Amino acid sequence: MLLGSALIWLGLSCADLAAALPAEPEVGVVAAEADVVASELPRYNAVWNSPSADAHGSMPIGNGDIGANVWVEPMGDVVFYVSKTDAWDENGRLCKVGRVRLTFDPPLAVEQAFRQELKLREGLIEIVAAGLRLELWVDANRPIVRLEALAPTPVGCRAEIELWRRRERPFGKDDDGHSGSGLSDRSTVVLADTVVESAAPCVTWYHRNTRSIYPLCLQVQHLEMLQDRFPDPLLNLTFGARLAGPGFIQDGALAIKSREAARRHELALVVLSAQTDTPHAWLAALERISQASGDRAGDGLSDAEKPDAKKPAAKTPGAHTSPGAASPGAASPGAASAAAGSETASADAARAYQAARDAHQAWWRSFWNRSWVFVQGNLPSTLPVNAHPWRVGVASDGGSRFRGQIAQPRVLGRALSAAQIAQLAAEPHGDERDAQQGSAPVLRPDELAGDCTVAAWIKPAAGEAGRILDKCTAGRSDGLVFDAYPGLSLRWIVGEHTMTCRDCLKPDQWQHVAATADASDGVRRIYLNGQLIGEEGVASAGQTVTRGYVYQRFMNACAGRGGAPIKFNGSIFTVEADPSASHETADGDPDWRRWGSNYWFQNTRLAYWPMLAAGDFEMLVPWFRMYQRGLALSKARIEAYYGFPDAAQFPETMYWWGLPNNGDYGWNNTAPEPANTYIRRHWNGGLELIAVLLDRYDFTCDTAFARDTLVPLADPLLAFFDRYWPQRDAAGKLRMEPAQSLETWQTAVNPLPDVAGLHFVLPRLLALPPDVARASQRARWKRLLDELPEIPIAATGDRRVVLPAEVFSNKRNSENPELYAVFPFRLYGVGRPEIDLARATYRARGQRHNRGWCQDSIQAACLGLGDEAARLVASRSAQINRKYRFPAMWGPNFDWIPDQDHGNNILTTLQYMLVQDDGERLHILPAWPPHWNVSFRLHAAHRTTVEGQVRDGKLVKLHVSSDRQRPVEVCEPFDAPAEG
């Protein structure tokens, strides 16, 4: 989109803004929360009308630190995993806390009016069956998972803890994918959980790290001399929980049950992760949290039995004296303990539960009211056009050959109905004499419009993954592909939209396969032997995009306020890859996640960019805090390796305490840089961290944050860049060599991401208030800025494009480093110089992906390419993992499930499509397609909020408030409305 027709001024009051706006058309302030969030958000509640087979059918819920994956099994049991953001075990793995199974007597009648609903605005899951109503929620204000069951007639209730770390076991080869290559060769073990002997009706258990890989990390990385200065962060760290409820009694070591049938049951699970000197100290801390949370922990115990942090732990191996049950709902500790089952105590418990519930829901209402994006509209349903002929059994580059047989391939320029597909599948398939490979069906390329059907009989080989029908540039998303990828699956690619039905084919058997793209409803479908096995819609793009935005922001809120940052590879909502597999295997281990326990900066950061425009500033704190806590160790490591004082560098793959992953550093490495060439000099994350910190300051204008957090992190990170490359060229400019451009170009000089990052952050640091940084710091920043090389640009004829580096070779990955000058380092874009150069670079990009961490959609939005950004974000939002029931269990893509990179790209793309800030002007709708309606409220720099509505191609409402006077530009084809 071009910058457009309406320029207004953003001032200190709405009255000033109204005076600057034209009188037509009539508009008003965007509808209040009651009219927007309250009416729109419930449309996106996840509602299931049948139980789930296993954890792949689970529904997520959380409070920012503690999470639960909740499902109801066909026999009526309510089951949920419990997780916590900082439940780190002795090997540095982020683990589940445990699993809870809730059983009713009589069983929950799931065949009668069953309904499981995620109520987003209330922050809870409601389960209803045969009149019984169960609420499950994770208290937004306390570390407690709460449950309440209300039945029309008295029912019994039993709650059991299910643990899988029941014995110590060796760290196996399969575990290496979780916690770093090579740990299995170091005599590493996975420790067992401990179940506490209880003195009151409750189940308490914990996992305690009595050993740690931290000393091994120091040893491998030649940093043993730092061990006394930086204590072990894992040793004695303990995570666990206690389950209890009023009116419940013990039923074995791992279960409690209701004393009697009742119409109301309440349970509370108090969760804690803490590093303590003794197990008893952890139990005492759990007791204190329970009492502070309003639970009647310790009721019925004598003073001698109540917890005392100085009291030694019990001597019995694997068992410790319990501090007592945590009975939620009492007005004060010990109140009415003698009458726990009485009517008065029950009423008090119900009132206390309701008070906690009200406060919990108030937090969630406030969260949703901070910002919102609700989109309506469809995408034009057209097929991608290219000049390739159709190929059978092979890709356009001659690769991806189908190893089995293909017979009767067909391509039609219309979408056949299900009945017509079934008729095709009923026809004889011929035999091997009819099989074709490499030839094209009779269809000219220009006959495709919005509809298409592809079909064939296939006899795949074992492990088959080749092309069936192909009309696409290899490695691009510019055409159509129907293939058996990954192994014995069916994949249907239509431009940027990919859908996959996994593991559906049988080797060495003839099967009929077909796929359609239908312009009438925008749905892509896959058929096997005449039966529909998968469908995804893109025409109702607005609803799909909004669902993706809402669900991902919800998942961020469920995990964004904890003791550790959000894990890119699954957050706290991972479950076992194969619920039918044994917990002793990687596929059946609920703790396993691909790519391990480290924080990969390039992946982690994508969860945090959209929190700025959403106004979710407190959720940035755990991420910043990880680097603040690791700063001293980082400085000591850099000084030990390079002799640089007061310089820091955070590795790309980093344990949460600040050291690199051992496998990436190299078990036998003697150099300071990692042995892994993908990340050897991949230090761009430090510059992007500074960029996010600067945006956080710009959004909130918090000088204390700039002084205490931003500058203390930024200055040593910049010092490392300055000192690692001391050489200057003949013009006195910094020469970054040896270097690399992200993971992709592993040999480079003056890599674009680093050069652009320095150009982006240094002027902004110099513009900070004078009292937040020392004069000596500013002088170093100014000198480094003056010494920076220019952005590398190539000119061929009339075409100019940004390069990934001044000199580059040894390509090993599939990123577009040159576009880091668009995002995350916004040197080019709407309202900024040379946008045509950046757009040409975008069009010439070598890698075109739209999943996982790939950021094409964000960069398209930053460049004002509204139709392109809309197409990409709609396609991304529709990429649902059909093996999982909840639509936002994205991935695995490049990482693991749910893939947080994939979902958070949706948020950032939509935000930049709606609002951009070039530092001087605020741009409204800089990349918004006119065929999409939207209601939105977002945040911007200088404590600015922007609320607007687009209807039928017109911006009908706009309300902007800010602390700073500056111009606001409404971009074409939209006009600025009058202020109401």
Side-chain angles (χ1 to χ4, degrees):
M1 283 184 188
L2 299 175
L3 293 183
S5 54
L7 179 65
I8 59 182
W9 283 89
L10 176 56
L12 298 177
S13 71
C14 295
D16 294 335
L17 179 60
L21 287 168
E24 298 291 337
E26 178 184 358
V27 299
V29 175
V30 169
E33 180 271 339
D35 298 322
V36 180
V37 176
S39 62
E40 292 295 326
L41 189 62
R43 301 175 189 271
Y44 296 93
N45 288 353
V47 178
W48 299 339
N49 294 313
S50 62
S52 300
D54 50 47
H56 284 197
S58 65
M59 186 178 280
I61 196 76
N63 71 346
D65 185 31
I66 297 163
N69 294 70
V70 184
W71 72 98
V72 180
E73 295 187 342
M75 297 303 292
D77 288 1
V78 179
V79 188
F80 60 96
Y81 280 113
V82 181
S83 53
K84 198 172 187 301
T85 62
D86 55 356
W88 304 104
D89 78 352
E90 58 282 349
N91 300 306
R93 306 186 310 161
L94 183 62
C95 295
K96 296 289 186 189
V97 176
R99 187 167 68 186
V100 179
R101 180 175 298 273
L102 194 67
T103 307
F104 292 96
D105 184 14
L108 198 63
V110 296
E111 71 280 359
Q112 299 180 32
F114 178 86
R115 181 182 177 91
Q116 179 176 340
E117 181 174 3
L118 171 61
K119 295 191 169 184
L120 294 162
R121 190 162 172 258
E122 293 81 7
L124 60 82
I125 292 173
E126 180 184 76
I127 300 166
V128 178
L132 186 146
R133 177 176 172 272
L134 172 70
E135 280 187 350
L136 188 151
W137 45 285
V138 189
D139 196 319
N141 305 298
R142 300 172 182 86
I144 302 177
V145 182
R146 298 187 185 272
L147 302 93
E148 182 190 44
L150 300 173
T153 58
V155 296
C157 181
R158 183 179 187 272
E160 181 178 6
I161 306 303
E162 297 179 335
L163 304 176
W164 52 95
R165 299 180 296 261
R166 298 304 303 273
R167 61 178 180 83
E168 183 176 307
R169 66 171 178 84
F171 196 91
K173 291 292 185 183
D174 288 338
D175 294 306
D176 275 335
H178 186 147
S179 293
S181 174
L183 268 183
S184 61
D185 297 327
R186 300 283 165 157
S187 301
T188 309
V189 299
V190 177
L191 297 174
D193 293 348
T194 295
V195 178
V196 178
E197 292 181 357
S198 180
C202 68
V203 179
T204 303
W205 78 100
Y206 60 79
H207 185 97
R208 183 169 175 82
N209 300 340
T210 56
R211 57 187 297 172
S212 164
I213 64 165
Y214 178 73
L216 177 63
C217 294
L218 295 176
Q219 175 190 345
V220 168
Q221 298 172 35
H222 316 295
L223 298 171
E224 300 96 323
M225 78 293 291
L226 301 180
Q227 186 157 358
D228 292 339
R229 291 174 55 191
F230 300 98
D232 193 324
L234 289 177
L235 190 63
N236 296 330
L237 193 151
T238 307
F239 61 86
R242 178 170 57 194
L243 178 67
F248 279 76
I249 60 175
Q250 207 72 34
D251 189 27
L254 292 173
I256 55 174
K257 65 180 181 181
S258 57
R259 188 184 305 273
E260 57 188 5
R263 293 183 178 181
R264 179 181 184 273
H265 296 288
E266 180 188 334
L267 287 165
L269 185 79
V270 182
V271 186
L272 173 64
S273 178
Q275 194 173 26
T276 60
D277 291 337
T278 66
H280 196 274
W282 183 86
L283 291 168
L286 184 68
E287 170 67 13
R288 288 192 296 272
I289 292 172
S290 298
Q291 294 206 22
S293 301
D295 298 327
R296 280 199 318 275
D299 280 4
L301 302 183
S302 68
D303 290 340
E305 292 174 307
K306 290 184 178 179
D308 181 349
K310 297 180 181 179
K311 183 177 178 180
K315 299 298 184 182
T316 306
H320 302 280
T321 302
S322 170
S327 301
S332 61
S337 61
S342 71
E343 183 177 346
T344 301
S346 178
D348 289 344
R351 282 192 293 270
Y353 176 91
Q354 186 61 44
R357 185 180 185 273
D358 290 345
H360 166 83
Q361 293 190 11
W363 187 91
W364 278 102
R365 285 194 299 272
S366 175
F367 166 77
W368 292 115
N369 291 346
R370 292 177 194 169
S371 64
W372 59 81
V373 176
F374 296 111
V375 184
Q376 296 175 339
N378 296 330
L379 285 173
S381 185
T382 58
L383 298 179
V385 176
N386 61 49
H388 292 295
W390 280 100
R391 292 176 171 83
V392 179
V394 66
S396 61
D397 64 352
S400 301
R401 288 186 173 273
F402 197 89
R403 294 184 292 112
Q405 283 101 41
I406 301 176
Q408 298 180 357
R410 305 185 190 206
V411 178
L412 304 174
R414 65 187 188 279
L416 298 184
S417 67
Q420 291 170 321
I421 296 290
Q423 185 176 354
L424 282 181
E427 296 176 358
H429 62 73
D431 55 30
E432 294 185 14
R433 289 174 299 174
D434 301 315
Q436 304 180 54
Q437 186 153 315
S439 59
V442 180
L443 181 75
R444 296 195 311 274
D446 58 1
E447 290 185 33
L448 292 179
D451 293 349
C452 179
T453 298
V454 294
W457 282 94
I458 64 171
K459 186 179 181 181
E464 183 67 72
R467 296 287 200 266
I468 301 169
L469 288 156
D470 181 280
K471 187 184 184 303
C472 190
T473 305
R476 298 284 184 92
S477 300
D478 63 354
L480 297 97
V481 173
F482 190 40
D483 62 9
Y485 182 86
L488 295 174
S489 302
L490 283 174
R491 181 174 66 165
W492 179 217
I493 300 175
V494 182
E496 298 288 348
H497 182 264
T498 299
M499 63 179 296
T500 305
C501 296
R502 292 181 177 268
D503 306 321
C504 59
L505 298 175
K506 296 179 180 179
D508 302 318
Q509 295 184 27
W510 283 102
Q511 296 140 88
H512 188 266
V513 296
T516 63
D518 193 335
S520 64
D521 59 7
V523 175
R524 315 316 194 203
R525 297 177 172 90
I526 296 178
Y527 297 83
L528 176 62
N529 294 323
Q531 300 296 314
L532 177 68
I533 62 171
E535 64 179 5
E536 292 182 4
V538 295
S540 56
Q543 182 178 3
T544 303
V545 164
T546 303
R547 182 186 65 185
Y549 188 97
V550 166
Y551 283 0
Q552 185 58 51
R553 186 162 173 249
F554 168 76
M555 295 181 83
N556 288 350
C558 288
R561 298 189 296 152
I566 293 169
K567 286 290 279 121
F568 69 95
N569 49 349
S571 186
I572 53 175
F573 296 116
T574 56
V575 297
E576 58 269 41
D578 181 1
S580 66
S582 166
H583 288 330
E584 299 292 321
T585 66
D587 282 347
D589 184 358
D591 294 327
W592 195 92
R593 66 181 75 215
R594 191 164 69 185
W595 298 114
S597 57
N598 288 161
Y599 285 94
W600 296 37
F601 186 92
Q602 287 287 92
N603 306 61
T604 303
R605 47 115 188 187
L606 290 167
Y608 289 96
W609 277 110
M611 292 178 183
L612 294 158
D616 300 331
F617 304 119
E618 81 278 24
M619 296 179 195
L620 289 155
V621 171
W623 191 45
F624 295 158
R625 185 174 57 216
M626 178 174 69
Y627 292 105
Q628 288 175 293
R629 290 175 174 173
L631 182 60
L633 177 56
S634 176
K635 286 182 177 181
R637 181 173 69 91
I638 295 304
E639 186 164 13
Y641 284 169
Y642 301 102
F644 302 159
D646 296 320
Q649 178 267 319
F650 294 114
E652 170 65 14
T653 59
M654 186 183 86
Y655 285 113
W656 56 269
W657 54 85
L659 293 180
N661 175 281
N662 283 331
D664 288 332
Y665 176 79
W667 293 100
N668 300 305
N669 186 18
T670 58
E673 292 86 13
N676 183 342
T677 60
Y678 285 86
I679 62 168
R680 179 169 291 166
R681 295 180 180 89
H682 186 350
W683 299 323
N684 189 255
L687 299 177
E688 189 167 350
L689 176 62
I690 299 171
V692 180
L693 289 162
L694 283 163
D695 272 15
R696 164 63 170 79
Y697 167 74
D698 285 348
F699 272 67
T700 62
C701 305
D702 183 349
T703 55
F705 172 82
R707 181 178 57 252
D708 301 335
T709 302
L710 166 56
V711 171
L713 281 168
D715 190 55
L717 290 170
L718 291 170
F720 179 79
F721 276 84
D722 188 22
R723 295 169 188 166
Y724 185 81
W725 291 292
Q727 60 269 35
R728 302 296 187 264
D729 64 17
K733 298 296 184 181
L734 175 69
R735 183 173 178 83
M736 300 180 185
E737 184 184 17
Q740 65 187 82
S741 192
L742 305 182
E743 295 186 17
T744 296
W745 299 101
Q746 297 189 0
T747 302
V749 176
N750 291 343
L752 180 280
D754 298 350
V755 173
L758 289 166
H759 275 290
F760 186 64
V761 303
L762 283 168
R764 298 174 66 190
L765 286 167
L766 289 166
L768 290 172
D771 60 338
V772 303
R774 298 188 302 273
S776 58
Q777 292 173 317
R778 292 179 181 279
R780 289 196 302 272
W781 302 341
K782 179 65 168 62
R783 176 184 55 77
L784 184 57
L785 178 61
D786 292 341
E787 295 173 349
L788 289 184
E790 298 299 319
I791 299 295
I793 295 173
T796 304
D798 294 334
R799 192 178 91 163
R800 297 170 65 243
V801 295
V802 180
L803 296 175
E806 186 178 314
V807 179
F808 51 95
S809 62
N810 193 20
K811 184 179 181 183
R812 300 294 298 276
N813 206 343
S814 57
E815 301 155 307
N816 295 306
E818 61 275 16
L819 288 170
Y820 270 57
V822 175
F823 176 86
F825 306 121
R826 303 183 301 277
L827 299 178
Y828 303 103
V830 173
R832 300 176 187 271
E834 295 206 85
I835 192 171
D836 290 339
L837 166 67
R839 287 174 173 171
T841 305
Y842 177 84
R843 288 192 294 269
R845 69 195 188 279
Q847 308 300 323
R848 298 173 183 239
H849 299 302
N850 190 34
R851 59 191 176 99
W853 43 255
C854 303
Q855 50 196 32
D856 294 32
S857 62
I858 299 175
Q859 289 158 343
C862 289
L863 294 172
L865 305 175
D867 290 338
E868 169 90 344
R871 179 176 60 84
L872 292 174
V873 77
S875 174
R876 180 178 286 265
S877 301
Q879 293 174 33
I880 306 302
N881 186 330
R882 296 296 173 179
K883 283 190 173 183
Y884 291 77
R885 196 167 187 180
F886 188 67
M889 297 296 280
W890 319 104
N893 297 314
F894 308 105
D895 298 320
W896 197 232
I897 303 163
D899 177 0
Q900 299 305 286
D901 295 340
H902 187 94
N904 278 296
N905 262 285
I906 297 170
L907 274 63
T908 306
T909 300
L910 284 171
Q911 291 167 354
Y912 280 135
M913 290 170 69
L914 289 163
V915 178
Q916 290 183 40
D917 190 337
D918 65 12
E920 297 296 329
R921 292 182 179 181
L922 197 65
H923 301 274
I924 310 300
L925 307 175
W928 196 254
H931 49 276
W932 277 6
N933 294 338
V934 67
S935 295
F936 68 94
R937 184 178 198 266
L938 294 172
H939 297 250
H942 308 295
R943 291 195 282 260
T944 299
T945 58
V946 182
E947 299 182 18
Q949 285 187 4
V950 173
R951 291 291 180 267
D952 301 323
K954 296 182 182 297
L955 177 62
V956 297
K957 296 181 181 180
L958 178 66
H959 177 74
V960 185
S961 63
S962 179
D963 283 358
R964 177 182 172 186
Q965 185 175 349
R966 57 188 175 137
V968 174
E969 188 151 8
V970 180
C971 301
E972 292 181 352
F974 302 96
D975 295 322
E979 179 77 359

